[in-house]
Amino acid sequence: MVQDLVIILFCAPLAAALLSFGSRHSRAAEYGTVVAASADFVVSILLLVATLRHGSTLWWRAYIQIDALGAWVILCISIVYALSSIYAVGYMRLLDEEERLPLFYGLFSGFAFTMLAACVMNNAGVFWIAIELTTLISTFLVGFEREAESTEAAWKYIVVVSSGISLALLGTVLFYWGGSFVLGPTYAMTWTALHHSASQVYPPLLTVSFLLVLVGYGTKAGLAPMHTWLPDAHSESPAPVSAMLSGALLNASMLGIARFLGVVSGTSTSRLAHTAVVCFGIFSFVIASLFIVRQTGIKRLMAYSSVEHIGVQALGLGFGGVLGIAGALYHMLNHSLNKSLMFFGAGNAMRAYGSKEITDIRDVLRTFPVTGILWLLGAVGIAGAPPFALFLSEFTILRAGIAGPYRWAVVLFVIFLVVVFIGFLSHFRAMYFDETENPPMPRILPGLVWRALPMWLSFLPVLVLGLWWPHVLWNAFTTISAEIMGGAR
Amino acid sequence: MFLAHVNSLQASIFSSLAILSLLLAFVMLGSHWLRNYVYAFAAESWLIAVLSAAVGYFGGYPELYAIAFLTAIFRGLVLPYLLMRIIDRLHVKREVHAILQPSSSLVVGALLVMFAFVIANHMNRQAPPAGYVVVLALTIMISMKFLGFLMLSVRNEAVSQILALLVLENGIFLGSQILVPGMPMLIEIVILFDLLIVVACFGMLVRFLLVHAGTTSSRELKRLVG
């Protein structure tokens, strides 16, 4: 049952990619991608349910493992894949790139494929390769518009991320070396094997290995101060790709950090590892909130908000405990949904007003009477206000922090939450309610249904999950946190 | 762990190969000419191939011969060839506006190697003679990282940055041949191919940079800030 689901999960985006490359037909490519992505969304829910019910599955000489944590991240990724493939149908037609659309959709599904693949890898080395492949494919998506800015962003993205991720490779090799004292010179580098050997590895070696891995995957996840590629890449890529980078890719990289936290849990390095994750988390949060306040570009604003929220997830993982991990995982889902909504709205506004500058976007409600309201509510949600879902997960992470030894981080967190709230919403106040002497002339664009539908589909769950935390999810989180804290089995 | 049984002859062979590759990284650091970087990188890759073969021979890991062969072919021939093609297409022969002069970057590089040695020394708890080789391998792994990052930060040309990334990877590859020769072969081969794809992607991007951004120097890539 689980194996069939996994096969569908991977064949769907692969088939969509082949169809796009093979048919060279734009309509076939876009509808094929929507179908594949929707199939993945359904399958990912079934996969999570099956994994929670039957425990984790090993496959292909234990190279592939479907555990609850992986299934959760797969769910988050598939949601964003589905939403942004629908949005892409409406958005990409506006770009005047009709003959290159099959290429776009091929890369788009390939990108989704590599991210999903990373989630099921049971071998630290192969996981690294999957993450590296996500970079290579998404580089060309970032540079898809072929303007000076997007090419520059793509170049910075690949250089910064490849060099950062090479640190993770060094860390992985050192983990393997440490394990070889316990398990012999040749063994399969599974998360379980690494966890079992970790307690007997020479502590300074384990510490250095973990820090290297943290910095490496932290670069890919966009934790400050390694986040420098993120605002460029997220702001210059087409809006559906921005949503994928922000809502899906960052989660896949956080998965790496979570897995390695699981590997060192219960060892003497564990405390230091958690402190390091908390420090990166709070630093990202502070840096991002300061940049949010003085931001001038609409998509860069969203990008810094991603740095902020990835910082919050890192805080949750760092605080640890059931509450912290549950908060971080809930935050992952909520951020995926809410940030997709924000990027979709930003894409609409950018195309209609023909500018990326916040100062050029005015009177949004007159241009977008319905989706404008969704976008505004989404902004309130992403700034962390109730009744939206991010409030609930941030609050849970705060509770986890107060209960633990990191009260200083909680204090900073609360202070800068206020800064983010004021900074983020003041940009939206300007865009919605500021009086202007010469109002801009927005264009009316076709395909609004394709671009409005995913906004509704992401807004409604954000509202529902903010009012009601389903008990099923809570059970899933306790299972996952037992896995992380006890190490992968 | 095969290093536990290493004798002094083997230790000195491994050490001298490793040190020679580190020296070649310094050659890259001390030169202005892009072609020299590529030659130094190719020579470094050949040394690593020899090292793999030596470890395979003395440690009894026959699969390392295959790795050595692939390393020599891909890192020693194909990658340098691809890089040369990129250089030919760009009509850039040397780093013009490097932030640090080669002489100063050599000094900084030397300091970084010392720092790497200090870190490596803390991470090892094996007795000599195995301990010597371990510390050396760790030092070179970490210092090649530092040197690669140094090159990334002081050089502007796109080709130099690709080469700096390759130095980052070479360090890991070199160290892992000595420290973990038993690492599953699948992973090593996949990483080799991965590197090939990386360079191909970089090659395409360099062309995009030239056409769409009008420059291949990261100094002039400053539209996106803040």
Side-chain angles (χ1 to χ4, degrees):
Chain A
M1 160 77 173
V2 171
Q3 297 186 349
D4 299 336
L5 288 176
V6 173
I7 290 176
I8 303 174
L9 184 75
F10 287 104
C11 285
L14 202 62
L18 290 178
L19 175 74
S20 314
F21 285 130
S23 72
R24 298 253 149 224
H25 190 277
S26 306
R27 296 291 89 78
E30 59 195 21
Y31 296 132
T33 309
V34 172
V35 171
S38 318
D40 265 9
F41 168 62
V42 176
V43 167
S44 66
I45 293 178
L46 297 176
L47 194 65
L48 182 66
V49 173
T51 312
L52 287 175
R53 196 167 293 162
H54 306 296
S56 53
T57 322
L58 290 178
W59 205 17
W60 273 357
R61 294 213 228 144
Y63 269 103
I64 288 180
Q65 176 202 34
I66 298 100
D67 61 343
L69 177 60
W72 178 255
V73 181
I74 286 177
L75 175 66
C76 295
I77 292 173
S78 323
I79 288 176
V80 180
Y81 178 37
L83 290 173
S84 32
S85 67
I86 301 173
Y87 184 76
V89 176
Y91 184 87
M92 295 308 289
R93 287 180 192 171
L94 304 177
L95 292 189
D96 270 345
E97 295 269 14
E98 189 63 26
E99 70 281 8
R100 284 172 68 223
L101 278 187
L103 173 69
F104 173 82
Y105 285 102
L107 288 171
F108 195 73
S109 291
F111 182 35
F113 179 85
T114 49
M115 286 190 291
L116 293 171
C119 300
V120 299
M121 288 310 161
N122 190 26
N123 184 305
V126 189
F127 176 78
W128 182 86
I129 292 164
I131 293 285
E132 169 82 11
L133 283 179
T134 60
T135 314
L136 296 179
I137 296 185
S138 53
T139 301
F140 292 100
L141 287 171
V142 170
F144 185 77
E145 290 185 28
R146 292 200 171 170
E147 281 158 13
E149 283 89 358
S150 44
T151 317
E152 175 178 338
W155 179 256
K156 285 181 178 170
Y157 173 49
I158 195 169
V159 169
V160 173
V161 172
S162 312
S163 56
I165 202 97
S166 78
L167 286 174
L169 181 63
L170 177 58
T172 310
V173 168
L174 290 179
F175 262 110
Y176 186 86
W177 181 52
S180 71
F181 290 103
V182 185
L183 302 166
T186 302
Y187 62 98
M189 207 186 328
T190 60
W191 306 111
T192 324
L194 289 180
H195 174 65
H196 282 315
S197 59
S199 54
Q200 297 171 55
V201 174
Y202 187 45
L205 173 60
L206 193 66
T207 307
V208 173
S209 320
F210 179 81
L211 291 179
L212 284 170
V213 167
L214 175 62
V215 173
Y217 290 125
T219 310
K220 185 87 196 182
L223 289 175
M226 297 86 74
H227 68 288
T228 48
W229 62 272
L230 194 147
D232 297 348
H234 288 212
S235 64
E236 296 310 317
S237 46
V241 178
S242 311
M244 285 278 268
L245 286 172
S246 188
L249 179 65
L250 302 187
N251 297 344
S253 328
M254 278 315 269
L255 175 70
I257 295 176
R259 296 260 200 227
F260 276 102
L261 269 178
V263 166
V264 297
S265 72
T267 65
S268 55
T269 304
S270 182
R271 177 68 198 275
L272 186 139
H274 279 272
T275 309
V277 176
V278 168
C279 289
F280 274 121
I282 201 74
F283 190 65
S284 312
F285 194 81
V286 171
I287 291 289
S289 57
L290 296 179
F291 273 93
I292 282 175
V293 171
R294 43 160 302 176
Q295 197 45 253
T296 56
I298 182 65
K299 284 179 83 185
R300 292 183 84 81
L301 178 69
M302 302 305 161
Y304 276 107
S305 159
S306 297
V307 176
E308 175 219 330
H309 285 284
I310 224 60
V312 175
Q313 286 179 34
L315 279 178
L317 287 178
F319 290 155
V322 179
L323 267 185
I325 292 171
L329 295 173
Y330 201 43
H331 201 79
M332 189 183 274
L333 173 68
N334 299 338
H335 174 245
S336 296
L337 287 163
N338 207 331
K339 187 49 65 64
S340 303
L341 170 63
M342 297 317 288
F343 270 119
F344 298 156
N348 288 347
M350 221 181 80
R351 285 293 144 198
Y353 291 89
S355 169
K356 287 175 182 160
E357 294 299 312
I358 293 177
T359 43
D360 295 336
I361 301 174
R362 288 291 180 263
D363 276 342
V364 176
L365 275 182
R366 218 179 44 203
T367 320
F368 301 108
V370 180
T371 54
I373 290 178
L374 288 185
W375 199 34
L376 182 61
L377 290 175
V380 175
I382 207 131
F388 298 105
L390 284 170
F391 169 75
L392 216 54
S393 46
E394 280 176 357
F395 193 71
T396 314
I397 291 171
L398 269 180
R399 275 176 61 197
I402 291 171
Y406 301 107
R407 297 236 170 88
W408 58 272
V410 175
V411 173
L412 278 174
F413 183 33
V414 173
I415 293 173
F416 281 92
L417 262 179
V418 178
V419 175
V420 168
F421 187 82
I422 297 171
F424 200 88
L425 288 183
S426 86
H427 292 302
F428 272 78
R429 179 195 51 74
M431 285 191 292
Y432 278 74
F433 306 117
D434 258 13
E435 303 280 329
T436 44
E437 282 163 15
N438 40 351
M441 281 299 166
R443 293 184 295 156
I444 303 297
L445 298 167
L448 187 66
V449 177
W450 286 107
R451 287 179 288 122
L453 177 69
M455 291 181 79
W456 279 106
L457 289 179
S458 48
F459 172 74
L460 292 176
V462 167
L463 183 61
V464 171
L465 291 175
L467 297 170
W468 170 60
W469 183 326
H471 198 66
V472 191
L473 286 187
W474 178 257
N475 288 342
F477 296 149
T478 44
T479 315
I480 296 173
S481 67
E483 259 175 28
I484 295 183
M485 285 186 298
R489 267 170 302 139
Chain B
M1 163 103 209
F2 93 105
L3 278 180
H5 313 292
V6 78
N7 65 32
S8 56
L9 171 71
Q10 293 162 5
S12 51
I13 291 177
F14 298 153
S15 312
S16 38
L17 285 170
I19 290 171
L20 273 177
S21 346
L22 184 63
L23 277 178
L24 283 168
F26 272 92
V27 170
M28 294 169 89
L29 206 57
S31 171
H32 261 316
W33 301 92
L34 295 179
R35 276 179 189 279
N36 287 0
Y37 300 166
V38 181
Y39 291 138
F41 171 76
E44 198 177 272
S45 307
W46 280 93
L47 280 178
I48 295 179
V50 175
L51 180 74
S52 297
V55 172
Y57 179 72
F58 291 118
Y61 294 97
E63 71 270 20
L64 282 187
Y65 295 130
I67 300 281
F69 178 72
L70 290 174
T71 307
I73 296 289
F74 282 120
R75 292 187 182 231
L77 291 175
V78 179
L79 289 187
Y81 170 73
L82 289 176
L83 290 167
M84 282 297 188
R85 271 186 44 167
I86 297 177
I87 292 179
D88 285 343
R89 198 180 296 133
L90 289 184
H91 310 293
V92 185
K93 286 207 163 50
R94 49 175 290 196
E95 273 291 343
V96 189
H97 296 294
I99 294 164
L100 270 187
Q101 286 304 310
S103 47
S104 345
S105 40
L106 283 178
V107 175
V108 177
L111 291 175
L112 289 174
V113 173
M114 287 184 211
F115 182 49
F117 174 74
V118 174
I119 301 176
N121 217 8
H122 277 288
M123 285 159 65
N124 169 53
R125 65 169 170 187
Q126 282 184 292
Y132 294 144
V133 186
V134 167
V135 171
L136 187 76
L138 285 174
T139 308
I140 286 173
M141 260 176 148
I142 300 171
S143 54
M144 293 262 243
K145 279 272 158 199
F146 285 143
L147 296 180
F149 278 115
L150 180 63
M151 284 165 72
L152 268 178
S153 46
V154 301
R155 303 267 162 89
N156 305 312
E157 264 311 317
V159 179
S160 317
Q161 301 204 335
I162 303 177
L163 275 158
L165 280 169
L166 290 174
V167 169
L168 291 178
E169 299 248 357
N170 259 2
I172 302 173
F173 210 72
L174 191 147
S176 66
Q177 298 304 308
I178 299 179
L179 293 179
V180 286
M183 195 153 90
M185 191 170 155
L186 175 83
I187 293 182
E188 304 204 22
I189 291 178
V190 176
I191 289 176
L192 266 178
F193 278 104
D194 172 74
L195 211 62
L196 207 63
I197 305 173
V198 170
V199 172
C201 289
F202 272 102
M204 278 168 81
L205 263 187
V206 169
R207 219 177 320 163
F208 289 168
L209 271 184
L210 206 58
V211 175
H212 302 292
T215 175
T216 50
S217 164
S218 59
R219 254 173 110 81
E220 282 146 45
L221 295 180
K222 47 189 175 192
R223 285 167 196 264
L224 304 171
V225 281

